[in-house]
Amino acid sequence: MDLSWMAWTGPTAIFFLVILMLVIGMGVWEYFVPGGSPRVGILRFETTRGDRLFVSLLGSAFIHLAWLGLVGPNLWWALALSVVYAVGVFRLV
Amino acid sequence: MDKSWNNKAWFLVLPVLLLVAFSAVIPLMTVVNYSVQDTFGNNQFFWAGTDWFSDVLSSARFHDALLRNLAFSAIILLIEVPLGIFIALNMPRKGLGVPFCLVFMSLPLLIPWNVVGTIWQVFGRVDIGLLGYTLNSIGIDYNYVSDPFDAWVTVIIMDVWHWTSLVVLLCYAGLVSIPDAYYQAAKIDGASRWSVFRFIQLPKMNRVLLIAVLLRFMDSFMIYTEPFVVTGGGPGNATTFLSIDLVKTAIGQFDVGPAAAMSLIYFLIILLLSWVFYTVMITNDAKG
Amino acid sequence: MTNSIPAASQTSLDANAAMARRTRRSNAIARYSFLVPLIYIVLLMLPIYWLINMSFKTNAEILGAFSLWPRDPTIANYMVIFTDPSWYSGYINSIIYVVMNMVIAVAVALPAAYAFSRYRFLGDKHLFFWLLTNRMAPPAVFALPFFQLYSAFGLIDTHIAVAIAHCLFNVPLAVWILEGFMSGVPKEIDETAYIDGYSFPKFFVKIFMPLIASGIGVAAFFCFMFSWVELLIARTLTVTDAKPIAATMTRTVSASGLDWGVLAAAGVLTIIPGALVIWFVRNYIAKGFALGRV
């Protein structure tokens, strides 16, 4: 079976590995501390750990797109901003 | 219902997981890979970084398609939701009329989407279609093939024709769940028709209306087949919505990189909307 | 003090009269309210009538004179479809992959829906959300890599390829609808059956499935319907051997000098399956469209 059409590259492979590790990590965390520590944050509905991870990742994607569209192709700053955002989400949402 | 905690339930979900992952995850990963590369065919790829994303984000064509799509969704929601509520309120509650209404109203929902397109393509034609012919013979200059405004009107009427019944059915399902006692109490209080609607019927329809609005918004945001068959995205680019534009780029021009970048941006928007949809529904469910 | 009592009863009489008047007026409105759905249905049927009308006309009559009903009814258009393999094979292809998709989707969705309706497990809510995103994802996003994916497995232009691809949105839908129906079955029934010594598979097939038979029917109907109406993916994955009727029709549309009568007849024939089964699901159709949540 020829899978060369999938056209893997180093950076995208790392990207998906990181996502995979995050999901596995969340699974392990959930397994040992079940329940996902639900709470009602500033968005005024109940979120669990997994929800907060999802909001962080999705928000980061939009931060990167906005940076690309409004500022320029240097995405390291966008990445830094995303990390700050993710920390904020895990603290407040 | 109280659910017991049991991780063995994973085995029951596994077939679904594998089946959907095959069709969803592998293509999605491929799209991500394509979006950062350029190709001239033959599976030879060159690193392009984030160029395609920059291109798409700054392309007027993408902005136009996105705006068109948003405008389309807004217009059809503004028409379909009030119209659907109005019709549902006037539907009979019992007797022979009920199955009659349900069956005939559902009919447009079950027609293949390309046939919906074909029906309206024929119906609107000025030479052989009832709508186009009638409009022209009473002196209205209507031609959806050449006039962008008429093309828009046709696509919107088509969508209203196709999907208003969905809103009607959902609202009706909400209305019949109101016990008779509520109406009798309102009658004794001498409540006006408006206050019956405002304080009894609308709150009961809240939940189904939410589903109807979200579903119609999501589905109209990815509409492809019907306008494609009627107008092919034209005249010019007047009815080229996001999906049509995407398919044109991906399969028509075979611009794999830009199409992949566009797919991802489109997908992220949809993902955000689905998340809002899901959260709103879950929060609503929890309230009961 | 003495004349205040008649005054009070007078006001209440007035109120009664006002209420009666209001009721009478709302009854008068109610008497004509049947007109609203009636007019709506007539408007809905007009375009469909026009299609049926055209399917019984010859091409010359369609293009020649404008008429509200066929002057010279003919079934020649239908004969063309039933005798030309390139037309009727489209229907056969569509039916084959739609039925395959329906069977696969319902079969895998049944245990999953049971799991979601009865148990909590690691990551269940996120799994459910992920399924939802697949129902909501625009097929256009997947059109490009689908072709390559199914080529790599040598599945292009086969019925099973379309059937599996349509599972992408039909499996989540089936899981939802079934989960909705299953949650309506009290959990005590499961527990009693296990105490009586039923194994899980035996309980599921012998006791549980008959209880949610209508739910299975509705889920199957919606899988059938959404697979039947989808065009983009089906067209992308097929070339000739498994080409669906929908794609056959669009090909004819884009050709110049097309035969309107045959096109209309083909359209009418695609509406018939839905029109036939709609009677059986009329009471559940709202539930199905609402993803099992009405």
Side-chain angles (χ1 to χ4, degrees):
Chain A
M1 188 168 31
D2 179 24
L3 284 178
S4 63
W5 53 270
M6 280 187 79
W8 281 101
T9 62
T12 49
I14 293 170
F15 172 75
F16 279 111
L17 275 177
V18 168
I19 302 262
L20 186 70
M21 298 310 284
L22 281 172
V23 171
I24 292 176
M26 289 312 260
V28 171
W29 189 0
E30 182 73 22
Y31 188 78
F32 287 107
V33 193
S37 61
R39 64 157 188 251
V40 178
I42 50 167
L43 290 180
R44 303 232 312 279
F45 56 82
E46 197 180 78
T47 54
T48 59
R49 250 178 254 135
D51 298 331
R52 295 194 276 274
L53 175 71
F54 178 77
V55 175
S56 312
L57 287 178
L58 191 62
S60 306
F62 278 102
I63 289 174
H64 280 82
L65 282 182
W67 193 274
L68 210 52
L70 301 174
V71 186
N74 191 350
L75 286 175
W76 292 109
W77 285 108
L79 187 65
L81 194 62
S82 302
V83 171
V84 173
Y85 167 77
V87 170
V89 167
F90 269 81
R91 278 286 160 82
L92 296 173
V93 172
Chain B
M1 188 180 339
D2 275 343
K3 297 180 186 176
S4 52
W5 191 274
N6 186 347
N7 276 332
K8 280 190 197 139
W10 260 101
F11 290 109
L12 297 174
V13 188
L14 207 59
V16 165
L17 189 69
L18 293 176
L19 190 65
V20 179
F22 176 75
S23 295
V25 177
I26 298 177
L28 196 62
M29 292 202 278
T30 312
V31 172
V32 172
N33 290 337
Y34 287 171
S35 71
V36 291
Q37 297 179 83
D38 197 1
T39 182
F40 302 107
N42 291 330
N43 278 344
Q44 289 199 311
F45 291 91
F46 307 92
W47 178 253
T50 54
D51 290 358
W52 298 131
F53 286 96
S54 305
D55 282 1
V56 171
L57 285 172
S58 60
S59 106
R61 184 172 146 182
F62 179 73
H63 292 167
D64 290 350
L66 184 63
L67 281 179
R68 244 176 249 134
N69 223 147
L70 286 173
F72 175 73
S73 297
I75 294 173
I76 60 129
L77 277 180
L78 281 177
I79 299 176
E80 286 175 15
V81 171
L83 186 65
I85 296 176
F86 176 67
I87 293 165
L89 284 175
N90 284 297
M91 262 174 76
R93 295 294 147 71
K94 44 186 173 293
L96 266 179
V98 178
F100 174 81
C101 283
L102 287 176
V103 167
F104 277 95
M105 285 182 186
S106 317
L107 200 56
L109 300 169
L110 305 175
I111 298 176
W113 295 344
N114 70 303
V115 178
V116 171
T118 307
I119 288 175
W120 281 87
Q121 192 198 26
V122 171
F123 194 61
R125 277 180 70 105
V126 288
D127 51 349
I128 58 173
L130 185 60
L131 178 71
Y133 187 87
T134 315
L135 283 179
N136 271 310
S137 55
I138 59 171
I140 299 169
D141 186 24
Y142 165 89
N143 189 344
Y144 72 82
V145 182
S146 59
D147 187 302
F149 179 77
D150 292 347
W152 263 83
V153 170
T154 311
V155 171
I156 286 168
I157 294 180
M158 173 173 69
D159 200 82
V160 169
W161 178 84
H162 191 184
W163 289 110
T164 304
S165 295
L166 175 68
V167 184
V168 176
L169 289 172
L170 290 177
C171 288
Y172 183 70
L175 281 175
V176 291
S177 72
I178 303 175
D180 263 351
Y182 281 49
Y183 291 115
Q184 275 151 16
K187 210 170 183 178
I188 290 165
D189 288 348
S192 67
R193 182 129 172 70
W194 167 251
S195 43
V196 169
F197 173 70
R198 175 68 189 79
F199 296 107
I200 299 177
Q201 292 174 319
L202 200 59
K204 274 282 172 183
M205 283 196 295
N206 223 340
R207 198 174 136 75
V208 278
L209 265 181
L210 188 73
I211 296 174
V213 169
L214 290 169
L215 271 184
R216 280 313 301 133
F217 182 73
M218 308 281 292
D219 283 349
S220 63
F221 206 68
M222 57 195 208
I223 190 165
Y224 171 81
T225 310
E226 301 97 314
F228 174 76
V229 173
V230 176
T231 63
N237 277 328
T239 51
T240 303
F241 301 116
L242 276 177
S243 277
I244 297 181
D245 199 18
L246 181 56
V247 173
K248 267 188 192 167
T249 320
I251 293 169
Q253 307 164 359
F254 214 71
D255 285 337
V256 174
M262 201 171 141
S263 298
L264 281 179
I265 297 172
Y266 192 4
F267 187 71
L268 282 174
I269 297 173
I270 291 286
L271 202 56
L272 178 70
L273 295 172
S274 316
W275 182 73
V276 172
F277 182 121
Y278 187 68
T279 312
V280 168
M281 291 238 280
I282 291 295
T283 323
N284 212 32
D285 275 4
K287 276 185 209 145
Chain C
M1 202 60 199
T2 41
N3 57 359
S4 73
I5 297 161
S9 64
Q10 186 60 42
T11 29
S12 88
L13 269 179
D14 279 354
N16 273 339
M19 201 172 102
R21 229 179 299 127
R22 197 178 287 151
T23 321
R24 221 176 301 128
R25 200 175 58 214
S26 73
N27 279 348
I29 295 171
R31 203 173 307 136
Y32 294 104
S33 72
F34 76 93
L35 277 175
V36 174
L38 198 67
I39 292 170
Y40 175 64
I41 287 173
V42 168
L43 290 178
L44 283 187
M45 290 305 128
L46 266 184
I48 299 178
Y49 166 73
W50 198 247
L51 192 76
I52 298 172
N53 174 20
M54 271 179 57
S55 73
F56 287 108
K57 289 179 180 176
T58 60
N59 212 31
E61 192 187 342
I62 293 170
L63 294 171
F66 188 86
S67 59
L68 289 175
W69 60 88
R71 293 280 148 73
D72 187 16
T74 169
I75 55 162
N77 297 321
Y78 290 95
M79 292 314 291
V80 169
I81 289 170
F82 287 123
T83 52
D84 181 353
S86 73
W87 273 109
Y88 69 73
S89 68
Y91 284 98
I92 297 171
N93 290 333
S94 289
I95 289 169
I96 293 174
Y97 75 69
V98 165
V99 170
M100 281 164 106
N101 167 270
M102 192 167 85
V103 172
I104 297 172
V106 173
V108 299
L110 271 169
Y114 182 78
F116 281 121
S117 79
R118 290 294 191 263
Y119 300 115
R120 296 239 35 216
F121 48 95
L122 195 62
D124 52 353
K125 288 189 175 143
H126 301 111
L127 199 62
F128 209 66
F129 171 67
W130 173 68
L131 285 174
L132 173 88
T133 59
N134 289 311
R135 164 66 182 78
M136 298 301 171
V141 169
F142 294 109
L144 174 70
F146 262 21
F147 185 81
Q148 266 123 339
L149 173 65
Y150 286 90
S151 305
F153 286 87
L155 289 173
I156 286 294
D157 211 16
T158 59
H159 300 105
I160 191 76
V162 186
I164 292 178
H166 280 179
C167 280
L168 180 67
F169 47 84
N170 268 349
V171 165
L173 187 74
V175 170
W176 267 310
I177 296 175
L178 288 171
E179 199 259 352
F181 277 90
M182 286 176 181
S183 298
V185 177
K187 210 177 173 188
E188 284 71 33
I189 289 176
D190 308 29
E191 281 152 9
T192 321
Y194 293 139
I195 292 167
D196 288 352
Y198 276 90
S199 65
F200 173 71
K202 200 176 168 198
F203 153 74
F204 199 82
V205 175
K206 287 246 162 134
I207 297 177
F208 199 68
M209 277 173 53
L211 283 176
I212 52 153
S214 56
I216 296 175
V218 174
F221 168 78
F222 273 89
C223 289
F224 179 91
M225 184 194 125
F226 277 105
S227 184
W228 182 256
V229 299
E230 205 281 336
L231 170 75
L232 180 56
I233 290 176
R235 202 185 52 175
T236 311
L237 293 181
T238 54
V239 187
T240 48
D241 290 345
K243 206 170 192 47
I245 181 62
T248 315
M249 281 182 66
T250 36
R251 184 205 59 197
T252 321
V253 170
S254 55
S256 55
L258 54 117
D259 197 336
W260 290 106
V262 176
L263 183 72
V268 172
L269 288 176
T270 62
I271 300 176
I272 289 175
L276 284 181
V277 285
I278 201 171
W279 180 260
F280 300 103
V281 293
R282 65 187 184 282
N283 292 322
Y284 298 104
I285 198 160
K287 184 164 187 157
F289 275 110
L291 306 170
R293 279 166 177 273
V294 169

